[in-house]
Amino acid sequence: MEKPNRNWASKREKKAQRLEKISNLLNGKYVETEKIVEVMEKLIAPGDKVVLEGDNQKQASFLSESLEKVDAEKVNDLHLIMSSISRPEHLNIFEKGIASKIDFSYAGAQSLRVAQMIEDGTMKLGDIHTYLELYGRLFIDLIPNVVLVAADKADKDGNLYTGFNTEETPTIIEAAAFKDGIVIVQVNEVVDSLPRVDIPGDWVDVVVKADKPYQLEALFTRDPQNITELQILMAMMAIKGIYAEHGVQSLNHGIGFNTAAIELLLPTYGESLGLKGKIAKNWVLNPHPTMIPAIESGWVESIHSFGGEVGMEKYIAARPDVFFVGKDGTMRSNRTLSQAAGQYAIDMFIGSTLQLDYEGNSSTVTKGRLSGFGGAPNMGHNPGGRRHSTPAWQSLRDNDDPLGKGQKLVVQMVETYGSNKKPVFVEELDALAVQKQAGLANAPVMIYSEDTTHIVTEEGIAYLYKAKTKEERQAAIAAIGGVTPLGMTSTKESLDSLRAAGIVKLPEDLGIKRSEAKRSLLAAQTIDDLIEWSDGLYEPPMKFRTWS
Amino acid sequence: MEKPNRNWASKREKKAQRLEKISNLLNGKYVETEKIVEVMEKLIAPGDKVVLEGDNQKQASFLSESLEKVDAEKVNDLHLIMSSISRPEHLNIFEKGIASKIDFSYAGAQSLRVAQMIEDGTMKLGDIHTYLELYGRLFIDLIPNVVLVAADKADKDGNLYTGFNTEETPTIIEAAAFKDGIVIVQVNEVVDSLPRVDIPGDWVDVVVKADKPYQLEALFTRDPQNITELQILMAMMAIKGIYAEHGVQSLNHGIGFNTAAIELLLPTYGESLGLKGKIAKNWVLNPHPTMIPAIESGWVESIHSFGGEVGMEKYIAARPDVFFVGKDGTMRSNRTLSQAAGQYAIDMFIGSTLQLDYEGNSSTVTKGRLSGFGGAPNMGHNPGGRRHSTPAWQSLRDNDDPLGKGQKLVVQMVETYGSNKKPVFVEELDALAVQKQAGLANAPVMIYSEDTTHIVTEEGIAYLYKAKTKEERQAAIAAIGGVTPLGMTSTKESLDSLRAAGIVKLPEDLGIKRSEAKRSLLAAQTIDDLIEWSDGLYEPPMKFRTWS
C-alpha cells in the first residue's frame, strides 16, 4: 500500500486561521454590529461556498446587506446557496462580482431579474431545487465553507433562540458546524437567558446583533375578502369530490386563494356534509390565518409547520394541542422535518399553478421568469419510497397489479383563465423557452403529469389517475377546460363517456348547485372575522388591517 | 360562528399531571437508575404512542429492558413506534400485553418472530416504513406521547451528548418535545461539562443513568477475508460498467460483501483505470471500515453518515476533512439528514437483495420473515421531486421527451444463486405470501422494477433503463441469469441482440477477464490490513480480531 502524506485536518486549520484573523474583533463569540463587514472580509475567502439564509419567510437581511458592502477585491467569486432569492441585494451581490454562482430553490419577486442575470452571464446557475433536495446537497456536494443565518435571540455562549421561525436555520448550521465551516449568526437581541435553546451555542462561531430585526414577511396570509364565488365553487367540488371521496386525512395546502376558500368552507359546507372528524385532520402547513375557523370548530388535530406566519404568534401559543409548541409557549417550526413529513407522511398535496400543458404537466415558471418552486415538487409528487398505507392513498391503488400500491393525491386547482386573462392550459409550457434562455439541463417543470392525480377547475374535476391512456388524460383535461382552446376541443360525446367512466365529474355529478357557491358560505369573510374567530389572538400585519 | 368551549392545552396539562406524579422521584431532571420502572409506570399511560429508540446501531437497551418490567396492569396496549426491532424484549413487551400495536422500519434478527406474532395476533401491525417516512409520521399522524431514547452523556441540565451515534435521537425528541410529549433519556454517563451539546436540555424531561452502556452493534463491518472472487468480478464490472460509464460522483453503498469488494477495489483496480478523482467522491454512508483504503488513497472527498460504526471512532476523529466531525473531535451522524441527502442528493444507490422477480422487483422479505427494509426504498428509488441535474443522473435521460429529466441510478448486485443455494431470480416474490400472512395492504417490495436501473450478476450487467418494453426487460435479466430457471430461458440470439443494443454487457464487453478477478486485487485482504491502512486508528470489535 502506498499512502500519500496528507493533512487530514486542512479545513479545520483553515477555519482556525480565518478565525484568528478576527481574534481582535471578537468578544467571546460576539462581534460589534458595525464591524461585520470587516469580519466578513476576513472570514469569507474568494470562491467559498456560502449559504445565505433567505428562507421562505425569515431573511438574514442584516447579513445580506452587509455582504453587499464587502470589498469585491477581497471577497469575490462566491458560490451562493439560498433557499429563496427574495431581496434586491441578493442579486446586487452578483452584479458587484462578490458572488458568481447560485444554487437555489425559489426566486419569487426576483424571478425576472434572476432569469436576465443568468442570460447575460452575471450569474452562473448551478441548478434549481426543491427545499429538501437543496438541504440534502449541503451534506454531499454543496458542503458550505461559511453560513450566514438569522435567529431571534442569543445568550452569551451563542446558544440560539429562533422563536416561531426556526425554519431551515438548524439544518444550515449543522452542515457547516460539523464540517469545519464557519457559522455566522445575526440576532435581533442578546439576552442573559433564552426562553429555550433551539440551536446549541457549540455549533456557532460568530454572533452579531443586527442593526434591525431580520426581515419577516406574511407570505401565507390571504384576505378572505378577495375570495371569489368561482373559487368557492371549486372549493366545494374539492371538498366533496376529493377530500370526502377519498377520505383525505393528512394533507398540505399550497399558498393561494383557492385553498384558502377550502379552509374557510370546512366549518360551514364541510360541516353540513357531516365530514368533521372524518377528513383533513392532520396537517403539514404554515400557520395560515384562514385555518383559524376550522381549528376553532374542532376540525384540526395537528399542524406541523415549515415556518411561522406574522401575526399568528399569540394565537398559536394559545393552541398547543394543535400546533407544535415548546415549553416556553412558542411554536417550533422546522422546514426540513416538515418537508420530509409533507413528502412521505401525508395523503394529499393540493395547490395551484400558472400553466398546465395538455398532458397535465405544470409550472409556475412563465416567460422570462425563473421563479423556482420551493416545496411544491417535493410534496407534489408520488414518493416512490413510501411503503405505508392509508385509506386515501390506498384508494388510488391499481388492484389489477398484485405488486400495486397506493398513490399520493396530487391535486391542481386552477381557473381555466388565470388572473392574467390567459388560458391556464397551454400547448407548450413557457418552461421550455425558459429552459433554453437559462441554459438549464431540463425544463423547469413544477409538477409532472404522471404525479398529478386530479385537476379541479370551475367546470369540474378530472380524475386523471383513472385515465388509462395519454389520450384519455388529455380528453379529461379538455372536458373541464371551459372555453380555452383546449376546452373547445372537448365534445359532448367525449364528456358523456368520461362522466360515465367517473373520470370527469361536473358540479351536478357531485350534487353541487353553482348557485350555492356564495361568499356567505365562508366561515370568515374578512380579516376582521378571522380576528374575531381567534378571540382577538390573531394580530394581522398593518397591510391586512382595515383600520389603523 | 359557534365555538365549542374547549381546553386547547389538554396535552400540556396531561403531561404536567404525569410529571407531577414522579415529582418525589425527580432530582432536577434525574431519576435514579433503580426507580426507572416505577417512573415509567407513572409516566406512560395505556394506549400511549411510544417511540422506543431501536436505531440501526444504537439501542435504548436499558429503557427497553425496563419497559418489559412494568406492570402490564398499569401500562398496556401501547402503540410502539420503532425504527428497528432488534432485541428480544422488543417483542416480549407484546407477549406481556404491555404493547399491542407496532409501526416499524426494520426487523432484522427478529423478522421471523415478528411475522409469527402478527399472524397469531399478539402484535397488531400498523405498517412497514422507510426510516424517513416513519420520522415524517412522527409530526403528522404518529405524534408520540412518550419517547424513550439513548445518549452517551448528559449534564445536570439534561443537555445531551450523543457522540458518534446521534442517529435519529434528535428527530424523535423533537417530535415529542414540541408537542407536549414526554422525553425520557437513558445515558451512559453523567458529567459536569459535555464535549459538545447535540440536543439542548430544554427538550428533555427525564434523564436516567443506565445500568450499563447502551447496546451498540458493528453492523456495517465486513471482514475482507470473506470476499470471494466472484464478488470481485462483479465489483470490477460495476466499477467499469457503471461507476465509470455514468461518471457516478455521489453515492450510497448498501450493506454487504458485494459493495465491500467495490470499496476495496477502488484504490487498486479503480486506480489502474485512471478513475481517481473522477468517480465516487461524495458519499452518504455509515463509516464502513472497508472504506479505509479508498479514503487513505485520496479517493474520498466527503462522507456524511446515518450513524456510527464500532471501532471507527479514532479513525474518523483523525480524518475530519472527510467525515462530519464536531469541534470536540467526534463525528456527528444524523439519520434523518443523511436519509434526505441519500434520497435527493446522490447519483446512485447500489445494494443487494435476497430475491428479484422476473421484472426486476426485489425484496429482502422472504418466507415467513417480515424484515422490513430500513433505508433502502428511500435511497433506492427515483425521487420524483428532484430537480437538479448531475452528469450521472442526466446520462439516463430520455432525450426524445422535451420534458424528460434524468434518473437516479439504482443498482442491484446479486449472485444468481444466493448463499442459500437457491436462485435469486424467482417467478413470484415471497413478499406476496408474506403480504397475505401478515395481512398487509400491499406486498412488501423493497425496490420496484421501475426504479431499478441496473442489475449486476457474475454473468454481466443488465442496463434495464435502456429496455423499451417489459419483455425486453425480462430478457435482459434472463441474459445475466446464469443457470437459474430464468437464466435458462435466454437464447444466444436474444443475448446477441441485447449486447448489440448495449442493454446487456458481459465481462468481455467491458474488457474484463474473469481470470483477473483475484483476491490479490483487494486493497486489504484482512481486518489486519485495514488496521494497517488506518495507521492503527481502526479498532475492530473483538469478534473481528484474529488475535485476542
Side-chain angles (χ1 to χ4, degrees):
Chain A
M1 84 188 68
E2 286 166 44
K3 290 179 48 174
N5 219 350
R6 177 171 161 189
N7 174 4
W8 291 98
S10 64
K11 290 192 74 181
R12 185 185 291 168
E13 285 173 17
K14 269 184 210 142
K15 175 175 175 176
Q17 284 160 11
R18 293 191 196 181
L19 286 169
E20 178 57 32
K21 283 197 255 172
I22 62 156
S23 59
N24 61 323
L25 300 171
L26 273 178
N27 177 7
K29 291 186 173 171
Y30 282 84
V31 298
E32 285 174 37
T33 307
E34 51 277 11
K35 300 282 191 197
I36 189 64
V37 174
E38 185 183 347
V39 165
M40 283 180 160
E41 286 174 348
K42 288 178 172 160
L43 291 183
I44 308 178
D48 271 359
K49 288 192 182 72
V50 176
V51 182
L52 173 57
E53 186 169 21
D55 247 333
N56 217 338
Q57 288 103 324
K58 179 171 67 168
Q59 303 291 331
S61 42
F62 171 65
L63 293 176
S64 57
E65 285 173 359
S66 303
L67 186 58
E68 192 189 341
K69 293 178 193 151
V70 300
D71 182 348
E73 296 286 316
K74 293 178 184 164
V75 180
N76 49 58
D77 200 26
L78 300 181
H79 179 171
L80 276 201
I81 301 156
M82 299 189 68
S83 271
S84 181
I85 306 174
S86 316
R87 294 169 56 87
E89 73 265 19
H90 293 164
L91 296 175
N92 299 346
I93 288 164
F94 287 85
E95 282 172 352
K96 295 186 175 176
I98 297 163
S100 59
K101 186 172 179 184
I102 184 103
D103 274 284
F104 77 106
S105 286
Y106 184 68
Q110 304 294 340
S111 56
L112 189 62
R113 208 171 145 209
V114 166
Q116 286 167 344
M117 286 174 69
I118 289 167
E119 197 177 6
D120 70 23
T122 313
M123 181 186 253
K124 201 177 150 219
L125 178 66
D127 225 320
I128 305 175
H129 308 74
T130 62
Y131 293 129
L132 197 56
E133 174 183 13
L134 190 64
Y135 305 151
R137 290 189 72 189
L138 298 181
F139 299 87
I140 305 292
D141 58 352
L142 290 179
I143 299 170
N145 302 101
V146 178
V147 300
L148 307 172
V149 300
D152 289 30
K153 303 172 200 274
D155 67 15
K156 72 169 175 23
D157 298 321
N159 290 301
L160 302 179
Y161 172 70
T162 53
F164 286 81
N165 295 285
T166 307
E167 306 203 23
E168 64 194 25
T169 318
T171 305
I172 295 173
I173 292 185
E174 183 157 349
F178 296 99
K179 203 69 175 63
D180 291 315
I182 295 174
V183 178
I184 305 175
V185 188
Q186 71 166 72
V187 298
N188 298 344
E189 208 182 333
V190 181
V191 296
D192 286 337
S193 173
L194 295 174
R196 72 172 186 238
V197 177
D198 284 296
I199 298 164
D202 280 356
W203 305 12
V204 171
D205 297 303
V206 175
V207 184
V208 59
K209 187 175 179 313
D211 56 354
K212 54 180 180 288
Y214 56 71
Q215 184 200 347
L216 191 64
E217 291 292 332
L219 283 182
F220 292 85
T221 299
R222 289 294 174 271
D223 187 340
Q225 215 153 237
N226 301 322
I227 294 175
T228 66
E229 296 188 337
L230 225 47
Q231 287 163 342
I232 292 167
L233 174 67
M234 288 163 62
M236 291 168 74
M237 288 194 273
I239 290 172
K240 202 162 178 188
I242 300 176
Y243 290 56
E245 171 75 23
H246 295 283
V248 172
Q249 308 221 0
S250 53
L251 68 164
N252 170 259
H253 274 187
I255 194 170
F257 286 102
N258 291 333
T259 43
I262 295 174
E263 291 156 17
L264 292 170
L265 286 184
L266 290 176
T268 55
Y269 181 67
E271 194 95 20
S272 74
L273 298 175
L275 296 172
K276 188 160 102 176
K278 293 183 185 151
I279 61 162
K281 296 192 291 191
N282 303 111
W283 299 67
V284 50
L285 194 76
N286 281 295
H288 295 184
T290 38
M291 284 295 289
I292 294 171
I295 294 169
E296 293 301 306
S297 310
W299 277 72
V300 179
E301 274 180 14
S302 67
I303 298 178
H304 190 262
S305 298
F306 311 92
E309 181 67 4
V310 179
M312 289 288 282
E313 292 84 348
K314 284 188 191 163
Y315 176 74
I316 295 169
R319 300 292 179 268
D321 275 359
V322 172
F323 292 95
F324 280 71
V325 173
K327 285 177 199 171
D328 61 314
T330 298
M331 185 173 79
R332 162 111 173 168
S333 58
N334 187 320
R335 192 171 302 283
T336 306
L337 292 175
S338 234
Q339 286 286 343
Q343 178 184 33
Y344 265 136
I346 60 173
D347 289 337
M348 180 175 79
F349 166 79
I350 179 166
S352 295
T353 185
L354 297 178
Q355 290 189 333
L356 276 155
D357 72 12
Y358 292 2
E359 289 182 32
N361 298 290
S362 66
S363 188
T364 51
V365 167
T366 51
K367 278 263 159 4
R369 291 192 175 274
L370 197 56
S371 57
F373 316 112
N378 178 56
M379 290 186 286
H381 82 275
N382 186 37
R386 176 166 169 168
R387 291 294 176 272
H388 79 279
S389 157
T390 57
W393 191 75
Q394 200 68 9
S395 72
L396 269 65
R397 187 187 197 279
D398 173 3
N399 285 315
D400 296 338
D401 180 1
L403 294 186
K405 56 176 172 166
Q407 187 175 350
K408 185 189 233 175
L409 279 77
V410 175
V411 184
Q412 295 276 19
M413 218 173 160
V414 291
E415 291 176 45
T416 54
Y417 276 80
S419 53
N420 56 4
K421 311 287 179 207
K422 288 185 186 163
V424 72
F425 300 105
V426 294
E427 238 182 308
E428 182 179 292
L429 295 175
D430 286 359
L432 281 157
V434 174
Q435 178 192 3
K436 279 183 204 127
Q437 185 196 359
L440 296 170
N442 300 306
V445 174
M446 179 171 69
I447 296 179
Y448 287 89
S449 170
E450 68 202 61
D451 290 314
T452 308
T453 60
H454 303 72
I455 298 176
V456 185
T457 71
E458 73 277 13
E459 299 295 329
I461 301 177
Y463 295 79
L464 295 182
Y465 72 94
K466 292 184 181 173
K468 297 242 183 298
T469 63
K470 221 165 151 174
E471 291 68 32
E472 199 169 48
R473 203 172 172 88
Q474 178 165 335
I477 301 174
I480 56 161
V483 294
T484 62
L486 174 64
M488 302 294 277
T489 66
S490 184
T491 62
K492 183 172 179 311
E493 194 185 9
S494 161
L495 176 64
D496 288 347
S497 94
L498 288 163
R499 287 171 73 187
I503 299 174
V504 165
K505 290 187 187 172
L506 305 185
E508 49 266 44
D509 299 326
L510 296 163
I512 294 170
K513 288 186 190 149
R514 288 174 181 271
S515 58
E516 289 168 348
K518 293 291 175 206
R519 277 187 47 83
S520 56
L521 265 187
L522 296 173
Q525 296 183 42
T526 63
I527 291 275
D528 286 10
D529 288 351
L530 292 175
I531 297 171
E532 202 183 325
W533 271 103
S534 78
D535 295 332
L537 293 166
Y538 171 47
E539 296 177 333
M542 277 304 165
K543 64 177 173 180
F544 291 108
R545 297 190 189 188
T546 52
W547 68 101
S548 61
Chain B
M1 85 189 69
E2 287 166 44
K3 289 180 46 174
N5 218 350
R6 177 171 161 189
N7 175 3
W8 291 99
S10 64
K11 290 191 74 181
R12 186 184 291 169
E13 284 172 19
K14 269 184 212 144
K15 175 175 175 176
Q17 285 159 10
R18 293 191 195 181
L19 286 169
E20 178 57 32
K21 284 196 255 172
I22 62 155
S23 59
N24 62 323
L25 300 171
L26 273 177
N27 178 5
K29 292 187 172 170
Y30 282 83
V31 297
E32 285 174 36
T33 307
E34 52 277 13
K35 300 282 191 199
I36 190 65
V37 173
E38 184 183 347
V39 165
M40 283 179 160
E41 287 174 347
K42 289 179 170 160
L43 292 182
I44 308 178
D48 271 359
K49 288 192 181 72
V50 176
V51 182
L52 173 56
E53 187 168 21
D55 247 333
N56 217 338
Q57 288 102 324
K58 178 171 67 168
Q59 303 290 331
S61 42
F62 171 65
L63 292 176
S64 58
E65 285 172 359
S66 302
L67 185 60
E68 192 190 342
K69 292 178 193 152
V70 300
D71 182 348
E73 296 285 315
K74 296 178 184 164
V75 180
N76 49 59
D77 200 26
L78 300 181
H79 179 170
L80 276 200
I81 300 156
M82 298 189 69
S83 272
S84 182
I85 306 173
S86 315
R87 293 168 56 87
E89 73 266 18
H90 293 163
L91 296 175
N92 299 345
I93 288 164
F94 287 85
E95 282 172 352
K96 294 185 175 176
I98 297 164
S100 59
K101 187 173 177 183
I102 184 104
D103 275 284
F104 77 105
S105 287
Y106 184 69
Q110 304 294 340
S111 57
L112 189 62
R113 211 171 143 207
V114 167
Q116 287 168 344
M117 286 174 69
I118 290 168
E119 196 177 7
D120 70 24
T122 313
M123 180 186 254
K124 201 177 151 220
L125 178 65
D127 225 320
I128 305 175
H129 307 73
T130 63
Y131 293 129
L132 198 56
E133 173 183 15
L134 190 65
Y135 305 152
R137 290 190 73 189
L138 298 180
F139 298 87
I140 305 292
D141 59 352
L142 289 179
I143 300 171
N145 302 100
V146 178
V147 301
L148 307 171
V149 301
D152 289 31
K153 302 173 202 274
D155 66 15
K156 73 168 173 24
D157 298 321
N159 291 301
L160 302 179
Y161 172 69
T162 52
F164 285 82
N165 295 285
T166 307
E167 308 203 20
E168 65 195 24
T169 318
T171 304
I172 295 174
I173 291 185
E174 183 158 348
F178 296 99
K179 202 71 175 62
D180 292 315
I182 295 174
V183 177
I184 304 175
V185 188
Q186 72 167 72
V187 298
N188 298 345
E189 206 182 334
V190 181
V191 295
D192 286 337
S193 173
L194 295 173
R196 72 173 186 237
V197 177
D198 283 296
I199 298 165
D202 281 357
W203 306 12
V204 171
D205 298 302
V206 175
V207 185
V208 59
K209 187 174 180 313
D211 56 354
K212 53 180 181 289
Y214 57 70
Q215 184 199 345
L216 191 65
E217 290 293 331
L219 284 181
F220 292 84
T221 300
R222 289 294 174 271
D223 188 338
Q225 213 152 237
N226 300 321
I227 294 174
T228 66
E229 295 188 337
L230 225 45
Q231 288 163 340
I232 292 167
L233 175 66
M234 288 163 62
M236 292 168 74
M237 287 194 274
I239 290 172
K240 202 163 178 187
I242 301 176
Y243 290 57
E245 172 74 23
H246 295 283
V248 171
Q249 307 219 1
S250 53
L251 68 163
N252 171 259
H253 274 186
I255 193 170
F257 287 102
N258 290 333
T259 43
I262 295 174
E263 291 156 17
L264 293 171
L265 286 184
L266 290 176
T268 54
Y269 181 66
E271 194 95 21
S272 75
L273 297 174
L275 296 172
K276 188 160 103 177
K278 294 185 184 151
I279 62 162
K281 296 192 290 189
N282 303 111
W283 299 68
V284 49
L285 194 75
N286 281 294
H288 295 184
T290 38
M291 284 294 289
I292 293 171
I295 294 169
E296 294 299 307
S297 310
W299 276 71
V300 179
E301 275 181 11
S302 67
I303 298 178
H304 190 262
S305 297
F306 312 91
E309 181 67 3
V310 180
M312 287 289 280
E313 292 85 348
K314 284 189 190 164
Y315 176 74
I316 294 169
R319 301 291 181 266
D321 276 359
V322 172
F323 292 94
F324 280 71
V325 173
K327 286 178 199 170
D328 61 315
T330 298
M331 184 174 80
R332 162 111 172 168
S333 58
N334 187 320
R335 192 172 301 282
T336 306
L337 292 174
S338 234
Q339 286 287 343
Q343 178 184 32
Y344 265 137
I346 60 174
D347 290 336
M348 179 174 79
F349 167 79
I350 179 167
S352 295
T353 185
L354 296 177
Q355 290 190 333
L356 276 155
D357 72 13
Y358 291 1
E359 289 182 30
N361 299 291
S362 65
S363 189
T364 52
V365 167
T366 51
K367 278 263 161 1
R369 291 192 174 271
L370 197 57
S371 57
F373 316 113
N378 178 57
M379 289 187 286
H381 81 276
N382 186 38
R386 176 167 169 168
R387 291 293 176 273
H388 79 280
S389 157
T390 57
W393 191 74
Q394 200 69 7
S395 72
L396 269 65
R397 187 187 197 278
D398 172 3
N399 286 315
D400 296 339
D401 180 0
L403 294 185
K405 55 178 172 164
Q407 187 175 351
K408 184 188 236 176
L409 279 78
V410 175
V411 183
Q412 295 276 19
M413 217 173 160
V414 290
E415 291 176 44
T416 55
Y417 277 81
S419 53
N420 56 4
K421 310 288 179 206
K422 287 184 185 163
V424 73
F425 300 105
V426 294
E427 238 183 307
E428 183 179 290
L429 296 174
D430 286 358
L432 280 158
V434 174
Q435 177 193 2
K436 279 182 203 127
Q437 184 195 0
L440 296 169
N442 301 306
V445 174
M446 178 170 71
I447 296 180
Y448 287 89
S449 169
E450 68 202 62
D451 290 315
T452 307
T453 59
H454 303 72
I455 298 175
V456 185
T457 71
E458 73 277 12
E459 298 295 330
I461 301 176
Y463 295 78
L464 295 182
Y465 72 95
K466 292 184 182 173
K468 297 240 183 300
T469 63
K470 221 164 152 174
E471 291 68 32
E472 198 169 50
R473 202 172 173 87
Q474 179 165 336
I477 300 175
I480 57 161
V483 294
T484 62
L486 174 64
M488 301 295 275
T489 67
S490 182
T491 61
K492 184 174 180 311
E493 195 186 6
S494 161
L495 176 64
D496 288 346
S497 95
L498 288 163
R499 287 172 73 186
I503 298 174
V504 165
K505 291 188 186 171
L506 305 185
E508 48 266 44
D509 300 325
L510 296 163
I512 294 170
K513 288 187 190 146
R514 289 173 180 271
S515 59
E516 289 169 346
K518 293 291 175 206
R519 277 185 47 81
S520 56
L521 265 187
L522 296 174
Q525 296 183 43
T526 62
I527 291 275
D528 287 10
D529 287 350
L530 292 176
I531 297 171
E532 201 184 325
W533 270 104
S534 79
D535 293 333
L537 293 165
Y538 171 47
E539 296 177 334
M542 276 304 166
K543 64 175 172 179
F544 292 107
R545 297 191 190 188
T546 51
W547 68 101
S548 61

